[in-house]
Every structure is written in structure tokens, then in C-alpha cells.
Amino acid sequence: HPLDPPADPFAVAQAAADDIARLTGVERHDVAVTLGSGWGKAAELIGETVATVPATEVTGFSRPALEGHVGTIRSVRTPQGRHVLIIGARTHYYENHGVRRVVHSVRTAAATGARVMVLTNGAGGIKDTWSPGQPVLISDHINLTADSPLEGATFIDLTDLYAQRLRDIALSVDPSLDSGVYCQFRGPHYETPAEVQMAKAIGGDIVGMSTALEAIAARQAGMEVLGFSLITNLAAGISADPLSHQEVIEAGRMAEGRISALLAEVVGK
Ligand SMILES: Nc1nc2[nH]c(I)nc2c(=O)[nH]1
């Protein structure tokens, strides 16, 4: 794979950014958004699509593992004239392709010029006041993967990783938004009730299988990060009923309109 050692992941990201500029005709992007489950509709609401490119045509992106989920990369222009790169081709850590592949889309976004990285995902909620379909701002993360996208002695500060400035913009759009600490588990299995209680005990409010590693890479690339979780289910053991993937998909579909409008407004600010 082009990202396998001895490749330089940043050179591969630059090649991907050059592909995107060539294929979309957009030289520079200002903001990048990674769409997680439930956030698919946001692209149309963020602005006018300038170009849509199959991710497989961009260096370092591969056919996503998700059934029927053709990974696309879209260039969208907001009413304010901002160029937004919408990445619909996330590689999950649980696919076991290595961290370089997980964070390639973030490094590529930075190489296209984007200074803001918006990471969205579907996740489980630990706070029992939350209900399926609710979007939540990510205030910080706990990385339970025991891995890092950083290689060698690259000591990066992660204070204010989920930029307060961007969270304030989101709160100005929707003051009712709650916030939470996101715990990235390796997955692909969901947590046991005991693991959910552990996440709660260590200060977690959200459990997921993405985002933390991408956020670290975004900070390394000098980007400001904004993270949103769509709570599609209460985490295992928080409510009596067992998790069903169907319920997760359904909750995402129900919430799509509201959260896409929210994301579009925030990106437009
Ligand atoms: N780890 C974890 N990831 C998730 N993704 C979704 I959607 N729901 C969950 C969940 O309950 N736990």
C-alpha cells in the first residue's frame, strides 16, 4: 500500500492533495469535514457541490470496508465562498490497516490547505439524560487504543485539542448542545457493560471507535479540531435493552435533518 513503510506519510498526503486539486479543480480548501454514521446528509446542506471524486482515485485511499458505502471525496462551496472538503471515506482502526491509513484523510485535508478539521461520528452515550439521535459536542477525548499516529520523538501538546473557539461557535448556533468526553475503543465489538462503567469512571461520556487518533494527527498538522458525536444508542448497560445495529442505523436516519443543518450552520460561520 502506498502508505506502508518506508513511505513518508506526509508526502503521500501531499500527493493525495494534488490529486484532489486536479480532480476537483479546487486549488485550496479552507475546512475539511469527515462524515461519520448519521452525518451523510450534511454535505448537501453545507453548500453547493463543486465536484465529487471516488476516494479510490485519490492516492492512499482504499475501497472502504463498509458494505455498499462507496467512499467519496466532495468539494463543496459555502454561501460565504468557503471551500469545504467533505471526506466520506473513513478508515477505522478496527480494520487493522495501521494508524497511517486511519489518519491519512486528515493529513490529506491539511495538505489541501484546510486549517479546520471537523470530525463527526456515531457513538454510544454514557450519560443517561441523552437520547438516541442527539448530537453532542466533543470537549476532550480519552484514547483507549494505546496507539498513536505520531511516530518517533514527536511530542505534541493536546491541550484544547477540541478548540474552545469552535465549540463556542457551535454553541452560538445551538445553545442547547451538550458536551462530552469521547473514549475511543479499538472495536469492532461494542463495549461490555463493565467496560462502559470503566469509561464512565475514568471521565468518559461517549464511547466510539474513531476520532481520537484522527484528532491527534489533525493537531500535529496544525489544524483546529471540532468534534461532534451523534449519540445513536445508549452505551451497553446504560439502558436495559441490548444494542442492535439496526437501532443504530435507524436513530442516525431519524436525526439526519437536524444534525446536518447544525453542521452546515457551524461550517458556514
Ligand atoms: N464503541 C462504540 N462505538 C459505537 N458506535 C456506535 I453508532 N455506537 C457505539 C457504541 O455503543 N460503542
Side-chain angles (χ1 to χ4, degrees), residues 107-192:
R107 289 180 170 150
T108 298
T112 69
R115 305 313 325 131
V116 170
M117 186 73 223
V118 183
L119 298 169
T120 67
N121 60 58
I126 298 180
K127 279 193 186 173
D128 56 13
T129 53
W130 292 346
S131 41
Q134 179 166 354
V136 168
L137 271 175
I138 296 174
S139 54
D140 201 349
H141 78 225
I142 298 173
N143 172 10
L144 296 176
T145 66
D147 204 336
S148 175
L150 309 184
E151 298 172 21
T154 41
F155 306 107
I156 301 264
D157 166 65
L158 296 182
T159 324
D160 194 35
L161 176 56
Y162 297 85
Q164 185 67 57
R165 181 184 80 83
L166 298 176
R167 281 188 277 145
D168 290 344
I169 290 174
L171 286 164
S172 72
V173 168
D174 181 351
S176 74
L177 272 174
D178 201 352
S179 295
V181 173
Y182 181 98
C183 291
Q184 178 171 355
F185 281 80
R186 187 197 177 285
H189 52 281
Y190 287 131
E191 298 65 42
T192 63

Side-chain angles (χ1 to χ4, degrees), residues 37-38 92 94 121-125 182-191 196 206-210 230-236 243-245 247-249 252:
S37 49
H92 284 88
Y94 55 65
N121 60 58
Y182 181 98
C183 291
Q184 178 171 355
F185 281 80
R186 187 197 177 285
H189 52 281
Y190 287 131
E191 298 65 42
V196 173
I206 306 164
V207 287
M209 305 177 189
S210 69
L230 169 64
I231 303 300
T232 54
N233 60 280
L234 286 184
L243 300 189
S244 91
H245 195 59
E247 161 202 298
V248 160
I249 301 296

Side-chain angles (χ1 to χ4, degrees), residues 33-35 55 64 69-74 86-90:
V33 179
T34 288
L35 294 180
H69 179 92
V70 178
T72 58
I73 292 174
R74 205 195 288 230
I86 314 256
I87 299 160
R90 176 181 253 148

Side-chain angles (χ1 to χ4, degrees), residues 11 24 54 64 67 88 93 107 130 132 136 169 197 207 212 252-253 269:
T24 62
E67 64 291 337
Y93 189 63
R107 289 180 170 150
W130 292 346
V136 168
I169 290 174
Q197 290 307 310
V207 287
R253 212 194 312 280
K269 282 268 177 182

